[in-house]
Structures are given as structure tokens and as C-alpha cells.
Amino acid sequence: MSTAAIALDGLAIGYRLPRHKEKRISSDLNLRVQQGQFTVLLGPNGAGKSTLLRTVCGLQEPLEGRVLLAGRDLATISARDRARSLGVVLTERVDTWGLTAWDLVALGRAPHTRWSGRLTEEDEAAVATAMRETDTEGFAGRKVSELSDGEKQRVLVARALAQEPAVLVLDEVTAFLDLARRVEIMQLLRRLAHSSGRALLLSTHDLDLALRTADRLWMIDRTGQVYEGCPEDLVLAGALANVFRHEGLDYDPASGRFELHPLLGERVGVIGSGVPTIWTRHALERLGFQVEREGGADSVALIEVDEDERRWRLRYLDHDSIHSTLEDLTRELVSRANDRS
């Protein structure tokens, strides 16, 4: 196998404290990102995702071990050579000083220009290529301050690409975007990795999008344990459920989604098929009920969903009622649950 674009060799991450003490987050990390691969780092808040990324980028010293960039120890690479090989996009807000989108992307050429900072034809071609790859050409002349959050993020990715790095590391670049823009950025990053042969490592909270777009996942839990592999293998191995179980979430591999821990604890049976039945289960889970496919001995009620008539029959031992909306149905369920509590 060819040399990995990023290799963690016995890496320990954390913080050095006064009096030769340290706060260790995770140890003995031996992970790889290959060229042309889109790898996504997942984990709950406070687990150490940003610390790991900052260490990978050389912005924070490892407590032990090494980060290798194309086989070279990152600590031995000069800042200029590092900037030519490694592009970084962080979550910090950028002061654009009234720059246009093109001006900001052109700053990515700084590691390649001479002391004057003047761009050559080669530099301008690299800027144009970066903007074409990120579909930012259409607003190259607009002030960055006038761009939407999604447009700004694409420009920042373009700036990093203008460095012509073999590796691109991004920390929570979708954090402030709406759903459509998050999907857009994730698809863009996956496409860039595959089309350009670059290695991309992204930290995100977008669990569903990560599962749908990443080639591989790194998942870190609050104990510092890191799980690594392709998304589907990690789901089947139960790793995804293990990482997020203590965050109040249960991952259901059959449905491919996270479920809240039930608050009310009461069991309700649901009988039916089709879209109305799916959303009936969603509504009940949102309100804290435990949903069963059929009514069991422990169920307090049974709901029969009539998909054709779009109505719901709610059955208790002592009472039946018909509802034309989920709001009416759930109102009665919650009212009776509160009466019993």
C-alpha cells in the first residue's frame, strides 16, 4: 500500500499543565487517511475532536507519538513547506478587511509567492482552479461580507485549495449552516477528495450526513477511545451506538437513525403500514413513548393506522376513539399518561 497522506503513529493528545502535569484525552492512536479518501471525525461535545484535529494540523503538540504527513514527521517540516502540503479550514470567524471572494482565495497562494506577495500567472491559475472546483466563480468579485454563510464556507475551502495541498483538514465547517447548505458542503468535500486525489479529514456533528458521505469514520467517545472504519461496518459492530449511548441517544441500525431515550416510559403498540405509520412512530417517540410494532401485554394502548382514510383508532381496555390528526391522537395519549403519573 502507498504511504498514507496522514498517519498517526502512537499518538497521544491532550494538554500540558503546570508542574509537568498533563491532561490526556486519548492515547496510542494509530490511524490513517489515504489519498483520495474523505474521512469524517465524529464524537460528542467535549470528547476531543478539535484537540485531535489541532494536533493533526500541528497547531498543538502531541503528548506522545507522531503525526506523519506523507511519511514525514510533521514536527520536522518547516512552516512554509507545511502550508504547501496541508490546508486547514477552522471554525474561527475570518476578518476579511473588505476583501472580495477572489482576494480571500488568493491569500491561499501565500506559501508559494515570494516576499513581494505578487501573484504570477501560475498563482492566478491556481486561484481560478480552486474557485472552479468549489463553484465560487460566480461571486468572485463580491465582498466577502456580502456573502451568505454557505458561500463564505465555500470560499474558505477554495482558499485552502489554492494552496494546492495534498491534505485538507476541516473543523466543523458546516456548524452555522442550514440543512441545504450542509448537504451542499458535504457533497462538495466528498467530490473534491475523489476527483482530485486529495486526503480530506473533516470534524462534524452531522451524524446522518457523515454516514451518507464519508468513506471512513473516526469516532471518539468521552473516554478517549477511537473507533475507525467504513460507516456501515461501524454501525454493524455497534460502535456508533456505543459512542453516543451516553448522550441520551440510541442508534437503531434497522432504521438507520438515532432515537431519544423514552421519557414517559409507557409502551404503545402501533399497527399499520406506509408513511402515516412511520410518522406516527416518530410522533410517539418524540413525546417519550416506547413504541412497539404490535400491542403487547405491557402496552397501555394500541393504535391502528388507516393509511387510506388517514385516520387513527386509539384503543384502551376501557375506551376507543377515532382521530383525524396526529395532534389530536397524541393529545389524548399524553393527557391519559399524565393522569396516571
Side-chain angles (χ1 to χ4, degrees), residues 197-226:
R198 293 183 178 93
L200 268 71
L201 175 60
L202 166 75
S203 169
T204 184
H205 282 96
D206 282 313
L207 302 173
D208 185 60
L209 283 176
L211 290 172
R212 292 172 182 269
T213 58
D215 296 312
R216 298 187 76 76
L217 296 180
W218 292 359
M219 297 194 304
I220 183 169
D221 65 18
R222 289 191 182 277
T223 70
Q225 170 140 5
V226 176

PDB file of all heavy atoms in Angstrom, residues 197-226:
ATOM      1  N   GLY A 197      -7.927  13.493  -5.757  1.00  0.00           N
ATOM      2  CA  GLY A 197      -6.969  12.600  -5.116  1.00  0.00           C
ATOM      3  C   GLY A 197      -6.441  13.122  -3.798  1.00  0.00           C
ATOM      4  O   GLY A 197      -5.516  12.547  -3.220  1.00  0.00           O
ATOM      5  N   ARG A 198      -7.009  14.225  -3.291  1.00  0.00           N
ATOM      6  CA  ARG A 198      -6.575  14.752  -2.001  1.00  0.00           C
ATOM      7  C   ARG A 198      -7.145  13.906  -0.860  1.00  0.00           C
ATOM      8  O   ARG A 198      -8.162  13.242  -1.000  1.00  0.00           O
ATOM      9  CB  ARG A 198      -7.048  16.198  -1.816  1.00  0.00           C
ATOM     10  CG  ARG A 198      -6.401  17.191  -2.761  1.00  0.00           C
ATOM     11  CD  ARG A 198      -6.884  18.600  -2.437  1.00  0.00           C
ATOM     12  NE  ARG A 198      -6.249  19.589  -3.279  1.00  0.00           N
ATOM     13  CZ  ARG A 198      -6.752  20.038  -4.418  1.00  0.00           C
ATOM     14  NH1 ARG A 198      -7.909  19.570  -4.855  1.00  0.00           N
ATOM     15  NH2 ARG A 198      -6.107  20.942  -5.131  1.00  0.00           N
ATOM     16  N   ALA A 199      -6.477  13.972   0.281  1.00  0.00           N
ATOM     17  CA  ALA A 199      -6.998  13.364   1.502  1.00  0.00           C
ATOM     18  C   ALA A 199      -7.723  14.442   2.289  1.00  0.00           C
ATOM     19  O   ALA A 199      -7.152  15.494   2.568  1.00  0.00           O
ATOM     20  CB  ALA A 199      -5.858  12.784   2.324  1.00  0.00           C
ATOM     21  N   LEU A 200      -8.976  14.203   2.634  1.00  0.00           N
ATOM     22  CA  LEU A 200      -9.773  15.162   3.391  1.00  0.00           C
ATOM     23  C   LEU A 200     -10.170  14.559   4.726  1.00  0.00           C
ATOM     24  O   LEU A 200     -10.687  13.437   4.780  1.00  0.00           O
ATOM     25  CB  LEU A 200     -11.030  15.576   2.622  1.00  0.00           C
ATOM     26  CG  LEU A 200     -10.899  16.829   1.733  1.00  0.00           C
ATOM     27  CD1 LEU A 200     -10.026  16.518   0.529  1.00  0.00           C
ATOM     28  CD2 LEU A 200     -12.263  17.306   1.280  1.00  0.00           C
ATOM     29  N   LEU A 201      -9.942  15.321   5.801  1.00  0.00           N
ATOM     30  CA  LEU A 201     -10.339  14.927   7.152  1.00  0.00           C
ATOM     31  C   LEU A 201     -11.209  16.033   7.720  1.00  0.00           C
ATOM     32  O   LEU A 201     -10.770  17.175   7.846  1.00  0.00           O
ATOM     33  CB  LEU A 201      -9.109  14.713   8.032  1.00  0.00           C
ATOM     34  CG  LEU A 201      -9.360  14.414   9.524  1.00  0.00           C
ATOM     35  CD1 LEU A 201     -10.181  13.137   9.689  1.00  0.00           C
ATOM     36  CD2 LEU A 201      -8.033  14.302  10.277  1.00  0.00           C
ATOM     37  N   LEU A 202     -12.452  15.702   8.039  1.00  0.00           N
ATOM     38  CA  LEU A 202     -13.438  16.676   8.494  1.00  0.00           C
ATOM     39  C   LEU A 202     -14.005  16.277   9.844  1.00  0.00           C
ATOM     40  O   LEU A 202     -14.388  15.131  10.055  1.00  0.00           O
ATOM     41  CB  LEU A 202     -14.589  16.776   7.479  1.00  0.00           C
ATOM     42  CG  LEU A 202     -15.860  17.483   7.948  1.00  0.00           C
ATOM     43  CD1 LEU A 202     -15.648  18.992   7.982  1.00  0.00           C
ATOM     44  CD2 LEU A 202     -17.042  17.141   7.051  1.00  0.00           C
ATOM     45  N   SER A 203     -14.086  17.251  10.765  1.00  0.00           N
ATOM     46  CA  SER A 203     -14.809  17.063  12.017  1.00  0.00           C
ATOM     47  C   SER A 203     -16.189  17.682  11.883  1.00  0.00           C
ATOM     48  O   SER A 203     -16.337  18.792  11.370  1.00  0.00           O
ATOM     49  CB  SER A 203     -14.048  17.748  13.166  1.00  0.00           C
ATOM     50  OG  SER A 203     -14.840  17.793  14.338  1.00  0.00           O
ATOM     51  N   THR A 204     -17.228  16.951  12.342  1.00  0.00           N
ATOM     52  CA  THR A 204     -18.590  17.466  12.207  1.00  0.00           C
ATOM     53  C   THR A 204     -19.497  16.844  13.260  1.00  0.00           C
ATOM     54  O   THR A 204     -19.178  15.820  13.858  1.00  0.00           O
ATOM     55  CB  THR A 204     -19.155  17.165  10.811  1.00  0.00           C
ATOM     56  OG1 THR A 204     -20.449  17.764  10.667  1.00  0.00           O
ATOM     57  CG2 THR A 204     -19.279  15.681  10.567  1.00  0.00           C
ATOM     58  N   HIS A 205     -20.650  17.504  13.485  1.00  0.00           N
ATOM     59  CA  HIS A 205     -21.715  16.936  14.315  1.00  0.00           C
ATOM     60  C   HIS A 205     -22.833  16.348  13.456  1.00  0.00           C
ATOM     61  O   HIS A 205     -23.802  15.803  13.997  1.00  0.00           O
ATOM     62  CB  HIS A 205     -22.322  18.012  15.224  1.00  0.00           C
ATOM     63  CG  HIS A 205     -21.462  18.319  16.415  1.00  0.00           C
ATOM     64  ND1 HIS A 205     -20.570  19.375  16.439  1.00  0.00           N
ATOM     65  CD2 HIS A 205     -21.339  17.704  17.616  1.00  0.00           C
ATOM     66  CE1 HIS A 205     -19.959  19.393  17.612  1.00  0.00           C
ATOM     67  NE2 HIS A 205     -20.407  18.398  18.346  1.00  0.00           N
ATOM     68  N   ASP A 206     -22.727  16.468  12.142  1.00  0.00           N
ATOM     69  CA  ASP A 206     -23.780  15.996  11.247  1.00  0.00           C
ATOM     70  C   ASP A 206     -23.686  14.478  11.085  1.00  0.00           C
ATOM     71  O   ASP A 206     -23.111  13.969  10.122  1.00  0.00           O
ATOM     72  CB  ASP A 206     -23.665  16.682   9.878  1.00  0.00           C
ATOM     73  CG  ASP A 206     -24.215  18.085   9.909  1.00  0.00           C
ATOM     74  OD1 ASP A 206     -25.324  18.278  10.433  1.00  0.00           O
ATOM     75  OD2 ASP A 206     -23.530  18.998   9.407  1.00  0.00           O
ATOM     76  N   LEU A 207     -24.271  13.757  12.025  1.00  0.00           N
ATOM     77  CA  LEU A 207     -24.150  12.304  12.045  1.00  0.00           C
ATOM     78  C   LEU A 207     -24.721  11.662  10.783  1.00  0.00           C
ATOM     79  O   LEU A 207     -24.086  10.810  10.153  1.00  0.00           O
ATOM     80  CB  LEU A 207     -24.858  11.744  13.274  1.00  0.00           C
ATOM     81  CG  LEU A 207     -24.372  12.267  14.630  1.00  0.00           C
ATOM     82  CD1 LEU A 207     -25.275  11.769  15.741  1.00  0.00           C
ATOM     83  CD2 LEU A 207     -22.943  11.857  14.888  1.00  0.00           C
ATOM     84  N   ASP A 208     -25.937  12.068  10.433  1.00  0.00           N
ATOM     85  CA  ASP A 208     -26.601  11.446   9.290  1.00  0.00           C
ATOM     86  C   ASP A 208     -25.841  11.724   8.003  1.00  0.00           C
ATOM     87  O   ASP A 208     -25.624  10.819   7.188  1.00  0.00           O
ATOM     88  CB  ASP A 208     -28.043  11.953   9.181  1.00  0.00           C
ATOM     89  CG  ASP A 208     -28.812  11.232   8.086  1.00  0.00           C
ATOM     90  OD1 ASP A 208     -28.943   9.995   8.163  1.00  0.00           O
ATOM     91  OD2 ASP A 208     -29.274  11.896   7.141  1.00  0.00           O
ATOM     92  N   LEU A 209     -25.407  12.968   7.804  1.00  0.00           N
ATOM     93  CA  LEU A 209     -24.667  13.305   6.587  1.00  0.00           C
ATOM     94  C   LEU A 209     -23.321  12.589   6.542  1.00  0.00           C
ATOM     95  O   LEU A 209     -22.862  12.178   5.475  1.00  0.00           O
ATOM     96  CB  LEU A 209     -24.463  14.811   6.493  1.00  0.00           C
ATOM     97  CG  LEU A 209     -25.673  15.625   6.053  1.00  0.00           C
ATOM     98  CD1 LEU A 209     -25.373  17.113   6.097  1.00  0.00           C
ATOM     99  CD2 LEU A 209     -26.099  15.227   4.638  1.00  0.00           C
ATOM    100  N   ALA A 210     -22.688  12.444   7.695  1.00  0.00           N
ATOM    101  CA  ALA A 210     -21.411  11.729   7.732  1.00  0.00           C
ATOM    102  C   ALA A 210     -21.592  10.284   7.296  1.00  0.00           C
ATOM    103  O   ALA A 210     -20.798   9.742   6.523  1.00  0.00           O
ATOM    104  CB  ALA A 210     -20.817  11.792   9.130  1.00  0.00           C
ATOM    105  N   LEU A 211     -22.639   9.649   7.791  1.00  0.00           N
ATOM    106  CA  LEU A 211     -22.900   8.256   7.421  1.00  0.00           C
ATOM    107  C   LEU A 211     -23.185   8.115   5.932  1.00  0.00           C
ATOM    108  O   LEU A 211     -22.894   7.078   5.328  1.00  0.00           O
ATOM    109  CB  LEU A 211     -24.086   7.719   8.224  1.00  0.00           C
ATOM    110  CG  LEU A 211     -23.839   7.493   9.718  1.00  0.00           C
ATOM    111  CD1 LEU A 211     -25.137   7.160  10.430  1.00  0.00           C
ATOM    112  CD2 LEU A 211     -22.811   6.389   9.944  1.00  0.00           C
ATOM    113  N   ARG A 212     -23.747   9.156   5.332  1.00  0.00           N
ATOM    114  CA  ARG A 212     -24.121   9.089   3.921  1.00  0.00           C
ATOM    115  C   ARG A 212     -22.997   9.469   2.962  1.00  0.00           C
ATOM    116  O   ARG A 212     -23.059   9.123   1.783  1.00  0.00           O
ATOM    117  CB  ARG A 212     -25.326   9.998   3.657  1.00  0.00           C
ATOM    118  CG  ARG A 212     -26.612   9.530   4.310  1.00  0.00           C
ATOM    119  CD  ARG A 212     -27.719  10.569   4.165  1.00  0.00           C
ATOM    120  NE  ARG A 212     -28.939  10.143   4.823  1.00  0.00           N
ATOM    121  CZ  ARG A 212     -29.909   9.453   4.244  1.00  0.00           C
ATOM    122  NH1 ARG A 212     -29.791   9.106   2.971  1.00  0.00           N
ATOM    123  NH2 ARG A 212     -31.001   9.107   4.901  1.00  0.00           N
ATOM    124  N   THR A 213     -21.983  10.200   3.447  1.00  0.00           N
ATOM    125  CA  THR A 213     -20.979  10.737   2.529  1.00  0.00           C
ATOM    126  C   THR A 213     -19.550  10.264   2.789  1.00  0.00           C
ATOM    127  O   THR A 213     -18.737  10.252   1.869  1.00  0.00           O
ATOM    128  CB  THR A 213     -20.984  12.279   2.562  1.00  0.00           C
ATOM    129  OG1 THR A 213     -20.736  12.732   3.899  1.00  0.00           O
ATOM    130  CG2 THR A 213     -22.318  12.841   2.085  1.00  0.00           C
ATOM    131  N   ALA A 214     -19.221   9.902   4.026  1.00  0.00           N
ATOM    132  CA  ALA A 214     -17.831   9.594   4.361  1.00  0.00           C
ATOM    133  C   ALA A 214     -17.396   8.244   3.795  1.00  0.00           C
ATOM    134  O   ALA A 214     -18.168   7.289   3.761  1.00  0.00           O
ATOM    135  CB  ALA A 214     -17.645   9.593   5.876  1.00  0.00           C
ATOM    136  N   ASP A 215     -16.128   8.175   3.370  1.00  0.00           N
ATOM    137  CA  ASP A 215     -15.530   6.894   3.004  1.00  0.00           C
ATOM    138  C   ASP A 215     -15.172   6.108   4.261  1.00  0.00           C
ATOM    139  O   ASP A 215     -15.331   4.890   4.313  1.00  0.00           O
ATOM    140  CB  ASP A 215     -14.267   7.117   2.173  1.00  0.00           C
ATOM    141  CG  ASP A 215     -14.570   7.779   0.844  1.00  0.00           C
ATOM    142  OD1 ASP A 215     -15.496   7.327   0.152  1.00  0.00           O
ATOM    143  OD2 ASP A 215     -13.883   8.766   0.503  1.00  0.00           O
ATOM    144  N   ARG A 216     -14.659   6.832   5.262  1.00  0.00           N
ATOM    145  CA  ARG A 216     -14.312   6.214   6.538  1.00  0.00           C
ATOM    146  C   ARG A 216     -14.663   7.169   7.666  1.00  0.00           C
ATOM    147  O   ARG A 216     -14.728   8.390   7.465  1.00  0.00           O
ATOM    148  CB  ARG A 216     -12.816   5.860   6.603  1.00  0.00           C
ATOM    149  CG  ARG A 216     -12.396   4.850   5.554  1.00  0.00           C
ATOM    150  CD  ARG A 216     -10.967   4.398   5.743  1.00  0.00           C
ATOM    151  NE  ARG A 216     -10.794   3.455   6.846  1.00  0.00           N
ATOM    152  CZ  ARG A 216     -11.132   2.170   6.792  1.00  0.00           C
ATOM    153  NH1 ARG A 216     -11.679   1.672   5.705  1.00  0.00           N
ATOM    154  NH2 ARG A 216     -10.911   1.380   7.827  1.00  0.00           N
ATOM    155  N   LEU A 217     -14.882   6.594   8.850  1.00  0.00           N
ATOM    156  CA  LEU A 217     -15.175   7.382  10.039  1.00  0.00           C
ATOM    157  C   LEU A 217     -14.095   7.165  11.085  1.00  0.00           C
ATOM    158  O   LEU A 217     -13.572   6.060  11.242  1.00  0.00           O
ATOM    159  CB  LEU A 217     -16.522   6.982  10.649  1.00  0.00           C
ATOM    160  CG  LEU A 217     -17.796   7.213   9.833  1.00  0.00           C
ATOM    161  CD1 LEU A 217     -19.006   6.738  10.632  1.00  0.00           C
ATOM    162  CD2 LEU A 217     -17.952   8.681   9.450  1.00  0.00           C
ATOM    163  N   TRP A 218     -13.748   8.245  11.786  1.00  0.00           N
ATOM    164  CA  TRP A 218     -13.059   8.158  13.065  1.00  0.00           C
ATOM    165  C   TRP A 218     -14.082   8.609  14.098  1.00  0.00           C
ATOM    166  O   TRP A 218     -14.658   9.698  13.973  1.00  0.00           O
ATOM    167  CB  TRP A 218     -11.854   9.099  13.137  1.00  0.00           C
ATOM    168  CG  TRP A 218     -10.712   8.762  12.241  1.00  0.00           C
ATOM    169  CD1 TRP A 218     -10.612   7.718  11.381  1.00  0.00           C
ATOM    170  CD2 TRP A 218      -9.495   9.524  12.117  1.00  0.00           C
ATOM    171  NE1 TRP A 218      -9.410   7.761  10.721  1.00  0.00           N
ATOM    172  CE2 TRP A 218      -8.701   8.856  11.156  1.00  0.00           C
ATOM    173  CE3 TRP A 218      -9.005  10.674  12.719  1.00  0.00           C
ATOM    174  CZ2 TRP A 218      -7.444   9.335  10.790  1.00  0.00           C
ATOM    175  CZ3 TRP A 218      -7.766  11.154  12.357  1.00  0.00           C
ATOM    176  CH2 TRP A 218      -6.985  10.478  11.398  1.00  0.00           C
ATOM    177  N   MET A 219     -14.333   7.819  15.126  1.00  0.00           N
ATOM    178  CA  MET A 219     -15.296   8.186  16.151  1.00  0.00           C
ATOM    179  C   MET A 219     -14.624   8.123  17.520  1.00  0.00           C
ATOM    180  O   MET A 219     -14.070   7.085  17.891  1.00  0.00           O
ATOM    181  CB  MET A 219     -16.514   7.267  16.122  1.00  0.00           C
ATOM    182  CG  MET A 219     -17.302   7.336  14.833  1.00  0.00           C
ATOM    183  SD  MET A 219     -18.925   6.557  14.973  1.00  0.00           S
ATOM    184  CE  MET A 219     -18.467   4.924  15.515  1.00  0.00           C
ATOM    185  N   ILE A 220     -14.677   9.233  18.238  1.00  0.00           N
ATOM    186  CA  ILE A 220     -14.058   9.313  19.554  1.00  0.00           C
ATOM    187  C   ILE A 220     -15.143   9.480  20.614  1.00  0.00           C
ATOM    188  O   ILE A 220     -16.055  10.292  20.454  1.00  0.00           O
ATOM    189  CB  ILE A 220     -13.026  10.463  19.603  1.00  0.00           C
ATOM    190  CG1 ILE A 220     -12.324  10.499  20.958  1.00  0.00           C
ATOM    191  CG2 ILE A 220     -13.664  11.805  19.278  1.00  0.00           C
ATOM    192  CD1 ILE A 220     -11.118  11.437  20.988  1.00  0.00           C
ATOM    193  N   ASP A 221     -15.072   8.673  21.681  1.00  0.00           N
ATOM    194  CA  ASP A 221     -16.063   8.806  22.746  1.00  0.00           C
ATOM    195  C   ASP A 221     -15.459   9.583  23.920  1.00  0.00           C
ATOM    196  O   ASP A 221     -14.296  10.003  23.880  1.00  0.00           O
ATOM    197  CB  ASP A 221     -16.603   7.441  23.176  1.00  0.00           C
ATOM    198  CG  ASP A 221     -15.559   6.542  23.822  1.00  0.00           C
ATOM    199  OD1 ASP A 221     -14.501   7.061  24.262  1.00  0.00           O
ATOM    200  OD2 ASP A 221     -15.781   5.328  23.896  1.00  0.00           O
ATOM    201  N   ARG A 222     -16.236   9.747  24.970  1.00  0.00           N
ATOM    202  CA  ARG A 222     -15.791  10.580  26.088  1.00  0.00           C
ATOM    203  C   ARG A 222     -14.665   9.949  26.906  1.00  0.00           C
ATOM    204  O   ARG A 222     -14.039  10.636  27.716  1.00  0.00           O
ATOM    205  CB  ARG A 222     -16.977  10.907  26.999  1.00  0.00           C
ATOM    206  CG  ARG A 222     -17.958  11.880  26.371  1.00  0.00           C
ATOM    207  CD  ARG A 222     -18.960  12.387  27.390  1.00  0.00           C
ATOM    208  NE  ARG A 222     -19.917  13.273  26.784  1.00  0.00           N
ATOM    209  CZ  ARG A 222     -19.716  14.563  26.558  1.00  0.00           C
ATOM    210  NH1 ARG A 222     -18.558  15.111  26.889  1.00  0.00           N
ATOM    211  NH2 ARG A 222     -20.660  15.310  26.005  1.00  0.00           N
ATOM    212  N   THR A 223     -14.405   8.674  26.710  1.00  0.00           N
ATOM    213  CA  THR A 223     -13.288   8.029  27.397  1.00  0.00           C
ATOM    214  C   THR A 223     -11.995   8.145  26.604  1.00  0.00           C
ATOM    215  O   THR A 223     -10.934   7.724  27.079  1.00  0.00           O
ATOM    216  CB  THR A 223     -13.581   6.541  27.646  1.00  0.00           C
ATOM    217  OG1 THR A 223     -13.554   5.827  26.393  1.00  0.00           O
ATOM    218  CG2 THR A 223     -14.938   6.352  28.311  1.00  0.00           C
ATOM    219  N   GLY A 224     -12.073   8.703  25.390  1.00  0.00           N
ATOM    220  CA  GLY A 224     -10.889   8.822  24.545  1.00  0.00           C
ATOM    221  C   GLY A 224     -10.692   7.659  23.600  1.00  0.00           C
ATOM    222  O   GLY A 224      -9.744   7.656  22.810  1.00  0.00           O
ATOM    223  N   GLN A 225     -11.573   6.656  23.661  1.00  0.00           N
ATOM    224  CA  GLN A 225     -11.461   5.528  22.734  1.00  0.00           C
ATOM    225  C   GLN A 225     -11.863   5.980  21.329  1.00  0.00           C
ATOM    226  O   GLN A 225     -12.850   6.694  21.150  1.00  0.00           O
ATOM    227  CB  GLN A 225     -12.353   4.376  23.176  1.00  0.00           C
ATOM    228  CG  GLN A 225     -12.454   3.279  22.138  1.00  0.00           C
ATOM    229  CD  GLN A 225     -12.442   1.884  22.749  1.00  0.00           C
ATOM    230  OE1 GLN A 225     -12.452   1.732  23.962  1.00  0.00           O
ATOM    231  NE2 GLN A 225     -12.406   0.890  21.904  1.00  0.00           N
ATOM    232  N   VAL A 226     -11.117   5.556  20.337  1.00  0.00           N
ATOM    233  CA  VAL A 226     -11.395   5.912  18.946  1.00  0.00           C
ATOM    234  C   VAL A 226     -11.703   4.649  18.154  1.00  0.00           C
ATOM    235  O   VAL A 226     -10.950   3.665  18.210  1.00  0.00           O
ATOM    236  CB  VAL A 226     -10.203   6.658  18.307  1.00  0.00           C
ATOM    237  CG1 VAL A 226     -10.483   6.934  16.833  1.00  0.00           C
ATOM    238  CG2 VAL A 226      -9.937   7.969  19.038  1.00  0.00           C
TER     239      VAL A 226
END
